Amino acid sequence: MKINGYEKFSMVDFEGKIACTVFTGGCNLRCPFCHNGSLVIGDVKANQIDDGEVMEYLEKRRGLVDAVSVTGGEATLQPDLADFLRRVRALGYITKLDTNGLRPDVLKNLLDEGLVDYVAMDIKNSPEKYAFTTGLKCVDLDKINESMRIIKESGVNHEYRTTIIKEFHTAEDMERIAQWVSGANAYYMQKYSDSEGCISHGYHEIEKAQAEEFAKLFENKVVKVGLRGYN
């Protein structure tokens, strides 16, 4: 699998677990606020590492690391993702997949085979502002909806999440998102940070007080709602 790096020890990427986070290159979105810009528009081929290095590390850390979280970029673009997850699980690790939901066929195959224990799916914005938020002319929302249906019917533990930004997200948008993800296990709003790795710059975080007001919109719609990155 085309891997562009891995974090050997993470306490934040898989809640309640000690995880090794694996980063894959390439993405089918161009969100201007993406903090992993080098994995989206950078020269990913020049910075790849052999997945054998990751497997060797995981072999040595069995019993010390609980899980492997695969993220991106967009991991479902990797043609050998399923094989990688099979090898990871053969070592006794549980697995988490981060996805934007635009490849529901891949997601379904992974879940049908039981290769993923937890799915974290990004919801970039309300349906009406999806393309604007993701830097594209249009986005196939049918694929987003199909992925959400697949996740729901699979019964797999999951969350939806949105990086909230002043220039993109209003109370009306958040209300639409709350309706969209109704019934989910969990929904998280993530604080935006204008870091060096972002594709574009000049956007602004939403203050904690406003984020807490947004969170109220999700009460009685999802099992758990929370904020990430806010003190």
Side-chain angles (χ1 to χ4, degrees):
M1 190 169 75
K2 297 176 181 177
I3 295 174
N4 286 82
Y6 62 108
E7 185 175 352
K8 295 181 178 180
F9 189 90
S10 172
M11 303 264 312
V12 298
D13 289 319
F14 196 150
E15 188 172 353
K17 306 295 181 184
I18 299 171
C20 170
T21 302
V22 175
F23 297 90
T24 64
C27 189
N28 44 12
L29 296 178
R30 291 295 183 270
C31 307
F33 50 85
C34 177
H35 67 279
N36 281 338
S38 63
L39 299 178
V40 176
I41 60 174
D43 187 358
V44 295
K45 291 183 178 180
N47 299 303
Q48 288 170 1
I49 63 174
D50 193 302
D51 65 5
E53 178 182 332
V54 178
M55 298 307 297
E56 182 179 356
Y57 168 78
L58 293 174
E59 177 75 41
K60 293 178 179 178
R61 293 298 184 270
R62 285 195 288 182
L64 300 174
V65 174
D66 305 313
V68 175
S69 177
V70 184
T71 187
E74 174 53 39
T76 61
L77 295 174
Q78 301 293 326
D80 47 359
L81 174 60
D83 179 64
F84 177 76
L85 291 172
R86 290 185 198 105
R87 287 184 286 148
V88 167
R89 295 179 73 83
L91 293 176
Y93 291 95
I94 60 174
T95 53
K96 171 176 175 275
L97 175 68
D98 292 350
T99 183
N100 60 28
L102 279 176
R103 301 202 72 194
D105 53 334
V106 174
L107 179 61
K108 185 176 189 306
N109 289 338
L110 296 174
L111 292 176
D112 284 350
E113 194 176 335
L115 295 177
V116 178
D117 297 289
Y118 193 97
V119 177
M121 179 172 156
D122 291 326
I123 299 294
K124 302 297 184 177
N125 208 333
S126 60
E128 296 81 4
K129 291 171 67 174
Y130 228 84
F132 166 69
T133 307
T134 56
L136 302 179
K137 290 184 179 179
C138 62
V139 175
D140 190 343
L141 292 177
D142 288 342
K143 291 183 177 180
I144 303 292
N145 286 317
E146 177 67 3
S147 287
M148 295 173 76
R149 183 191 66 78
I150 289 167
I151 290 169
K152 181 178 181 180
E153 293 183 357
S154 74
V156 70
N157 288 331
H158 65 276
E159 68 180 58
Y160 298 110
R161 60 197 189 177
T162 304
T163 299
I164 52 175
I165 304 168
K166 277 188 177 181
E167 286 77 9
F168 291 96
H169 301 95
T170 65
E172 291 74 19
D173 294 321
M174 302 310 295
E175 187 170 8
R176 287 285 285 116
I177 293 172
Q179 296 168 357
W180 205 6
V181 303
S182 180
N185 289 168
Y187 175 80
Y188 294 97
M189 282 168 281
Q190 300 176 155
K191 182 180 179 181
Y192 168 72
S193 177
D194 192 347
S195 65
E196 182 179 350
C198 291
I199 292 178
S200 298
H201 303 278
Y203 301 113
H204 300 87
E205 67 183 60
I206 287 177
E207 291 82 1
K208 184 178 181 180
Q210 182 65 71
E212 289 173 337
E213 288 299 310
F214 287 168
K216 295 177 182 179
L217 299 171
F218 293 81
E219 294 176 358
N220 303 317
K221 290 186 173 63
V222 298
V223 176
K224 180 181 181 181
V225 59
L227 306 181
R228 286 185 176 146
Y230 291 91
N231 296 326

